[in-house]
């Protein structure tokens, strides 16, 4: 069910894709803050009768119908209530999601921040009329109209959930308890060879975030908006870190095992991994370090040429409804997006564990966003390094 995170940032993004694919020759386009042109695609103006089905692209664990576990099913109730049969296609990476949405065969997608901007720029998704989605009103304010799910205040989807990339350590091996990412970047670390890091180009943002606090002279304001000098500094830090990293992880089960065996004693993680490790009797703790952290938030988006738009809207409203959103959040291991979902979770401590309503906590989280040449921090006098370069650099970092 966590395969989503394994490849979420694996796809390279070219500058050309974002700067040109949304261009229709200058007719009916607007220039977004993100630095690309957005096709003038109207949002659905009114909701009609369901078309009988909806075809969705989603991460594993987001559209459970009881086939994985009979006790886990929020799709069947939706089908009975709406009359819309859900045809779900699980994607393993954001790149695969983008490719599938371009076929025109799907009505909606649960896009992560490294895919949503591509879908908007290419005209594959339409703005969302939130007035037609009653449950949107109860979505946490901190998830609405963000850089990865809106353009100039116009929403392009509904938030699904969120989580932070945390620092985890073995309490019986690491002392004192760390409170900074410096614990995994110190070249003189006493835990050399037992440090672990997330295996993805997007991890460059973690280094940039740390540098924004420890080397303010670099002027890093957004870890996904790095000019060449800032990018080079982050890459240099990661190459230095490589000398103390024992392994890079992308499979959550392997990280759980690595901490249990003692092969890893400190490194980046997710809250759900810490929970699983503790359940397996491993002595670990996690923290959101003083520099803050990177994180992720997914968005349900509707296809620009959806064949079943009414069912797509019904699905988006359903998946962020209190009960369904609570079920997804617990099954997947994340904070729900609906503020009323916390009263619906089976584990009454779920929202506390995942900081669902703690906006002060999430104010320290910088959500994954696709790096593009147009600097996302608002600078216009320099060019930022796009994700294709991040991907190439990551190969060099790991050696």
């Amino acid at each position: 069910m966590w395969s989503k995170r394994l490849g979420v940032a694996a796809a390279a993004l070219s500058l050309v894709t974002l700067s040109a694919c949304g261009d229709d020759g200058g007719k009916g386009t607007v220039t977004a803050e993100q630095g690309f042109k957005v096709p003038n695609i109207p949002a659905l103006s009114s909701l009609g009768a369901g078309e009988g089905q909806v075809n969705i692209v989603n991460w594993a664990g987001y559209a459970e119908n009881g086939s994985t576990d009979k006790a886990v099913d929020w799709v069947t109730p939706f089908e009975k209530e709406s009359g819309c049969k859900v045809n779900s296609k699980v994607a393993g990476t954001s790149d695969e999601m983008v490719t599938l949405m371009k076929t025109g065969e799907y009505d909606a997608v649960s896009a992560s921040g490294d895919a949503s901007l591509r879908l908007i720029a290419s005209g594959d998704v339409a703005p969302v009329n939130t007035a037609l989605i009653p449950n949107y009103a109860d979505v946490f304010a901190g998830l609405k109209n963000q850089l990865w799910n809106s353009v100039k205040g116009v929403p392009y989807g509904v938030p699904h959930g969120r989580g932070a990339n945390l620092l985890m350590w073995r309490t019986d091996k690491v002392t004192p308890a760390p409170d900074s990412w410096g614990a995994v970047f110190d070249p003189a670390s006493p835990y050399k060879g037992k440090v672990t890091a997330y295996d993805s180009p997007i991890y460059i943002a973690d280094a940039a975030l740390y540098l924004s606090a420890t080397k303010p002279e670099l002027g890093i304001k957004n870890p996904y908006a790095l000019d060449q000098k800032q990018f080079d500094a982050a890459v240099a830090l990661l190459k230095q870190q490589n000398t103390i990293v024992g392994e890079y992880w992308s499979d959550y089960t392997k990280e759980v095992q690595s901490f249990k065996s003692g092969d890893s004693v400190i490194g980046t993680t997710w809250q759900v991994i810490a929970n699983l490790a503790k359940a397996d009797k491993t002595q670990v703790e996690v923290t959101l370090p003083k520099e803050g952290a990177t994180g992720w938030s997914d968005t349900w988006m509707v296809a620009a040429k959806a064949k079943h738009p009414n069912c797509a809207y019904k699905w988006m409203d359903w998946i962020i409804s209190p009960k369904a959103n609570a079920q997804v959040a617990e099954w997947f291991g994340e904070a729900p997006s609906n503020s009323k979902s916390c009263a619906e979770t089976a584990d009454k401590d779920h929202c506390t564990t995942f900081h669902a309503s703690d906006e002060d906590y999430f104010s320290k989280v910088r959500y994954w966003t696709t790096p593009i040449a147009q600097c996302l921090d608002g600078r216009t006098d320099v060019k930022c390094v796009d994700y294709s370069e991040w991907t190439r650099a990551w190969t060099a970092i790991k050696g």
Side-chain angles (χ1 to χ4, degrees), residues 34 57 84 141 205 240 246 260 281 303 320 341 390:
Q34 287 92 330
V57 178
C84 301
Q240 175 181 281
K260 181 178 181 179
K281 311 292 185 190
I320 64 167
S341 292
W390 286 46

Side-chain angles (χ1 to χ4, degrees), residues 226-237:
L226 306 177
D227 60 36
Q228 195 63 56
K229 180 180 179 181
Q230 295 166 339
F231 183 76
D232 290 346
V235 170
L237 178 61

Side-chain angles (χ1 to χ4, degrees), residues 62-283:
Y62 273 18
E64 292 296 312
N65 61 3
S67 59
T68 303
D69 184 327
K70 292 182 179 180
V72 182
D73 183 0
W74 50 86
V75 169
T76 302
F78 167 75
E79 292 177 330
K80 290 180 178 178
E81 180 176 307
S82 68
C84 301
K85 183 180 185 301
V86 175
N87 301 310
S88 167
K89 171 67 174 179
V90 173
T93 67
S94 289
D95 192 44
E96 184 181 357
M97 283 190 168
V98 171
T99 299
L100 289 170
M101 288 302 289
K102 288 184 179 299
T103 67
E105 298 177 7
Y106 298 93
D107 304 301
V109 59
S110 62
S112 288
D114 64 332
S116 53
L117 295 187
R118 283 185 278 172
L119 292 169
I120 294 171
S122 63
D124 290 311
V125 294
V128 169
N129 184 349
T130 57
L132 304 179
I133 305 174
N135 285 301
Y136 184 80
D138 298 315
V139 169
F140 288 109
L143 288 174
K144 295 179 177 179
N145 293 327
Q146 297 299 321
L147 191 62
W148 61 89
N149 61 24
S150 68
V151 174
K152 287 191 173 181
V154 177
Y156 272 79
V158 295
H160 173 94
R162 56 181 167 176
N165 298 315
L166 304 171
L167 176 63
M168 181 165 73
W169 70 96
R170 280 276 300 258
T171 57
D172 59 334
K173 305 286 186 182
V174 177
T175 55
D179 66 351
S180 165
W181 287 116
V184 299
F185 288 120
D186 180 6
S189 171
Y191 312 109
K192 181 177 182 179
K194 294 183 181 294
V195 175
T196 186
Y198 187 50
D199 191 2
S200 170
I202 205 69
Y203 184 64
I204 293 173
D206 291 60
L209 182 69
Y210 176 66
L211 290 173
S212 71
T214 57
K215 290 193 174 182
E217 64 272 19
L218 287 170
I220 298 175
K221 298 178 181 178
N222 182 325
Y224 308 102
L226 306 177
D227 60 36
Q228 195 63 56
K229 180 180 179 181
Q230 295 166 339
F231 183 76
D232 290 346
V235 170
L237 178 61
L238 289 169
K239 286 182 176 179
Q240 175 181 281
Q241 185 198 41
N242 178 260
T243 64
I244 63 171
V245 169
E247 62 180 330
Y248 293 92
W249 69 274
S250 60
D251 184 331
Y252 82 97
T253 60
K254 290 182 179 179
E255 191 184 29
V256 170
Q257 182 57 39
S258 184
F259 269 82
K260 181 178 181 179
S261 67
D263 289 340
S264 296
V265 299
I266 191 168
T268 185
T269 195
W270 306 319
Q271 182 66 56
V272 65
I273 294 176
N275 294 349
L276 291 169
K278 287 183 178 181
D280 208 17
K281 311 292 185 190
T282 304
Q283 299 179 56

Side-chain angles (χ1 to χ4, degrees), residues 287-361:
T287 189
L288 193 157
K290 60 186 180 183
E291 298 90 2
T294 59
W296 40 268
S297 175
D298 298 330
T299 304
W300 281 100
M301 312 180 86
V302 62
K305 297 180 180 179
K307 296 176 182 176
H308 313 100
N310 294 297
C311 280
Y313 265 74
K314 289 177 182 293
W315 169 256
M316 289 192 295
D317 189 49
W318 174 270
I319 202 63
I320 64 167
S321 62
K323 185 175 181 180
N325 199 233
Q327 290 175 297
V328 181
E330 283 196 279
W331 175 249
F332 188 82
E334 63 187 345
S337 64
N338 191 312
S339 61
K340 293 182 177 180
S341 292
C342 294
E344 301 289 342
T345 56
D347 175 7
K348 297 308 175 185
D349 292 326
H350 179 85
C351 282
T352 299
T353 300
F354 287 88
H355 303 273
S357 60
D358 190 347
E359 294 299 343
D360 180 62
Y361 176 90

